[in-house]
Amino acid sequence: MSLTILRSPEEWTARFGAGRTVLSIGNFDGLHLGHQKILRTVLARARAAAQTAAAVTFDPHPMKLLRPDNAPRMIETLSQRLAGFQQIGLDAGLVLRFDRELSLLSPEDFILRILIERLHVAAILVGANFCFGHRGAGNVQMLAQFGKEHGFDVETISPVEVAGIVVSSTAVRNAVAEGRVGEAVPLLGHPFSLTGDIRAGAGRGRTILFPTLNLVPEQELLPRLGVYATEAVLRGSIFRAVTNVGTRPTFDGRGITVESHLFGFDEQISSGAMEVRFHARLRDERKFSGAEELREQIARDIVAAREYFGEHGRGSQI
């Protein structure tokens, strides 16, 4: 069953009427293992009670409105987040536009006007530090009190730890931004990925180096500049690859590009969708004396990536 995506509490009422809902609320950026634990518990509880399993999320991230200078670079696009909801098996995702009006809504009004009157909440599952409403004044204790008064349950889900690290969006974001993409994999449960459209490049790769596909990423967060062992998903197939995230200092050195050399792919294409999944960092980007020295290094990068995948198996699935 596909995920029902709704954009307002009014749309929710029109679709689900007075049916009871089990849900969680949050930004769910990255949809890491902690988020997955909460949402899978939502799903199990909803199925046991024959109720709707849902996630309520926000677009844009509240910080972009409230404190734009401090807003985090988003790990995923909204489309990736919603695809994750569907993969988990949720029935619905409610995307609330975070605007000035919503930011001024008190915690009490958020509970009464949205959760109770519109979503007919039966149970809410959240992390211990969950806060909501104007100035983040609402917390789990307030939710629990309203739950007792209005007949819904509130359950706090404990965090997930991996190798002694509490899984969080911040931990994932820091790992990716610092180039430690391999450390992000066990936190997310899958490789960090960039999605977007292919754009024609300068053509140097095919003529003097190795042919590459240039991705224009949709994501705000990029890995630290450097060369990575990756997988490229293109036209329903997975290709192992070497990807450079950088400024091409050997040539023009202007602007950040995401260029991937796909193993076993030699078609000339200049458009279409592609996803690049980051498995391991191979080296820093650096300037070479010219095309020949760069070509020799790329050849070594390809060997290193092949060795990585040979040691770590197939990698991702579609």
Side-chain angles (χ1 to χ4, degrees):
M1 184 175 66
S2 62
L3 181 79
T4 298
I5 301 170
L6 301 162
R7 303 281 177 169
S8 71
E10 293 74 21
E11 284 188 15
W12 181 282
T13 302
R15 172 63 179 82
F16 292 107
R20 302 298 299 278
T21 306
V22 180
L23 59 86
S24 185
I25 308 168
N27 294 301
F28 302 107
D29 188 26
L31 204 61
H32 54 64
L33 291 188
H35 297 142
Q36 293 173 38
K37 178 183 178 181
I38 293 173
L39 295 180
R40 289 196 172 100
T41 308
V42 165
L43 180 64
R45 182 156 180 165
R47 291 291 176 268
Q51 294 167 340
T52 299
V56 179
T57 192
F58 306 95
D59 185 51
H61 191 290
M63 290 285 283
K64 290 187 181 298
L65 176 71
L66 302 175
R67 286 188 287 168
D69 291 342
N70 295 321
R73 288 177 292 168
M74 298 296 284
I75 300 165
E76 291 185 328
T77 63
L78 177 61
S79 294
Q80 284 179 304
R81 221 183 313 167
L82 294 174
F85 294 168
Q86 175 160 325
Q87 187 174 22
I88 288 171
L90 299 183
D91 300 309
L94 175 60
V95 182
L96 295 177
R97 176 155 187 80
F98 196 86
D99 54 17
R100 183 62 61 184
E101 181 181 358
L102 185 59
S103 75
L104 295 174
L105 195 64
S106 70
E108 295 84 355
D109 281 345
F110 185 88
I111 296 171
L112 292 171
R113 291 166 51 183
I114 296 178
L115 300 184
I116 294 175
E117 294 179 8
R118 292 293 186 177
L119 275 62
H120 302 283
V121 61
I124 303 175
L125 288 72
V126 293
N129 295 324
F130 174 70
C131 60
F132 64 100
H134 184 51
R135 299 186 182 277
N139 55 28
V140 174
Q141 290 72 30
M142 179 185 289
L143 271 178
Q145 183 59 43
F146 270 79
K148 291 178 181 178
E149 296 171 1
H150 295 273
F152 62 85
D153 295 332
V154 176
E155 183 176 348
T156 302
I157 305 298
S158 61
V160 174
E161 290 192 17
V162 174
I165 297 173
V166 175
V167 178
S168 68
S169 297
T170 298
V172 173
R173 192 175 294 111
N174 289 344
V176 172
E178 294 167 9
R180 297 180 285 107
V181 295
E183 295 179 26
V185 174
L187 306 181
L188 291 167
H190 55 77
F192 169 78
S193 70
L194 296 177
T195 58
D197 291 324
I198 296 167
R199 179 177 61 191
R204 295 190 190 95
R206 186 162 296 277
T207 57
I208 62 177
L209 297 170
F210 291 85
T212 61
L213 296 179
N214 300 338
L215 180 75
V216 181
E218 301 170 304
Q219 285 71 22
E220 297 176 351
L221 179 67
L222 295 179
R224 178 184 168 190
L225 303 189
V227 179
Y228 296 86
T230 61
E231 291 176 312
V233 182
L234 181 65
R235 298 173 177 173
S237 297
I238 298 178
F239 298 87
R240 291 171 180 175
V242 167
T243 297
N244 182 77
V245 180
T247 60
R248 297 178 293 189
T250 304
F251 298 107
D252 51 37
R254 293 194 300 267
I256 296 176
T257 62
V258 179
E259 298 179 283
S260 298
H261 170 67
L262 282 57
F263 305 163
F265 183 86
D266 58 5
E267 294 183 45
Q268 296 189 43
I269 60 174
S270 58
S271 63
M274 185 169 71
E275 176 186 5
V276 178
R277 300 171 178 172
F278 288 77
H279 285 267
R281 183 178 177 85
L282 299 179
R283 63 174 176 88
D284 291 339
E285 183 183 47
R286 64 186 180 90
K287 186 173 183 177
F288 295 90
S289 61
E292 184 56 36
E293 186 182 10
L294 175 56
R295 180 181 175 83
E296 291 173 357
Q297 180 59 61
I298 295 174
R300 291 192 289 271
D301 295 337
I302 292 171
V303 170
R306 290 187 185 277
E307 289 177 349
Y308 169 83
F309 285 117
E311 294 173 358
H312 292 81
R314 170 62 184 163
S316 305
Q317 302 295 319
I318 292 290

